[in-house]
Amino acid sequence: MPPPVDSVTVPPRGHRVRQTIEQLRERILGGEWPVGGRIPTEPQLVAALGVGRNTVREAVRALVHAGVLECRQGSGTYVVSTDELAPVVARRLTDDRMAEVVEVRRAFEVEAARLAALRRTPEDLAALDAALAVREAAWRGGRVDEFVEADAALHTAVVAAAHNGMLAELYASVGAALRSTVAQAMGGALAPERYVDHSRLVEAIRAGDPARAAIEAGAFLEPGPGA
């Protein structure tokens, strides 16, 4: 569960801010904005909630501080957790523990791929195809930051297709650390020898082959240049 409103830092003048935090939390808990999904933009929230821009900004900032939301430069604000696990994990998964992060990725992503092959829906497959296309376009564009976000979005789509809420929450809570492993693997440039084809993973999920999907997911995380 998300931290109660009383545990979130709210400015002294913030009765409206407190109410706005509660409204945001209700929408997150109600599934309107699922873990891993992007929330509406600030102007959209102002219109939907009927409060001022500063109130929305402070409410979002409070939930970012609580580890429920995460702001990603140039991409938007995302739901990363419905509890306080995210900031705890983020503090522990530092750059000097990247080998452990890769092991955590493997544990999550292999099982997620296996479950996705068993449970994927037509909507999930459409999301996977779209995410894969964006990832390929980002690679061709040559920008590491865009590719890292697109790669993370594809893996998040695989986790979503597993239809396991707890797995999705745990995966989202370590999202920043997982993206760091991809950025680290790229070494600052999208060199051809570092390219990893994820189409076989998507095809294994589409084929409903859990064993092959798990193998494909695990292969990306063996020692080597992939992501």
Side-chain angles (χ1 to χ4, degrees):
M1 294 285 291
V5 174
D6 289 343
S7 72
V8 176
T9 302
V10 179
R13 66 177 185 82
H15 179 65
R16 284 197 304 275
V17 174
R18 187 182 297 276
Q19 288 181 321
T20 302
I21 291 171
E22 186 59 33
Q23 288 179 287
L24 295 175
R25 291 173 70 249
E26 286 175 357
R27 296 191 181 205
I28 292 168
L29 281 176
E32 183 175 345
W33 305 327
V35 171
R38 185 171 58 186
I39 70 171
T41 63
E42 187 176 280
Q44 290 171 328
L45 289 174
V46 167
L49 302 176
V51 295
R53 185 179 294 267
N54 286 341
T55 298
V56 166
R57 192 170 297 159
E58 291 176 18
V60 169
R61 188 182 301 125
L63 289 176
V64 168
H65 179 74
V68 175
L69 299 176
E70 178 183 83
C71 293
R72 300 178 189 171
Q73 185 67 34
S75 181
T77 302
Y78 290 77
V79 180
V80 295
S81 183
T82 56
D83 59 27
E84 295 183 277
L85 178 60
V88 175
V89 173
R91 285 194 294 270
R92 293 182 62 83
L93 295 182
T94 53
D95 288 344
D96 61 347
R97 303 181 73 175
M98 278 300 138
E100 294 181 13
V101 177
V102 172
E103 291 174 357
V104 171
R105 279 193 67 185
R106 183 181 176 87
F108 284 154
E109 293 180 13
V110 169
E111 181 62 9
R114 188 187 73 80
L115 291 174
L118 295 171
R119 301 174 179 175
R120 80 284 184 276
T121 66
E123 293 76 17
D124 292 328
L125 293 175
L128 287 168
D129 287 338
L132 181 62
V134 171
R135 181 182 185 271
E136 295 304 298
W139 179 271
R140 292 192 297 271
R143 289 182 57 87
V144 174
D145 55 345
E146 291 181 3
F147 176 76
V148 168
E149 289 298 329
D151 184 79
L154 174 59
H155 289 292
T156 299
V158 172
V159 174
H163 293 280
N164 182 309
M166 183 172 292
L167 176 60
E169 289 185 20
L170 290 170
Y171 189 79
S173 72
V174 297
L178 301 187
R179 287 192 295 279
S180 293
T181 67
V182 179
Q184 190 176 79
M186 292 300 101
L190 301 182
E193 65 272 14
R194 295 186 179 277
Y195 174 78
V196 177
D197 182 7
H198 281 17
S199 63
R200 291 190 300 272
L201 170 60
V202 174
E203 288 309 311
I205 293 172
R206 189 190 316 279
D209 187 335
R212 183 157 63 94
I215 289 171
E216 290 293 343
F220 303 143
L221 299 169
E222 295 293 342

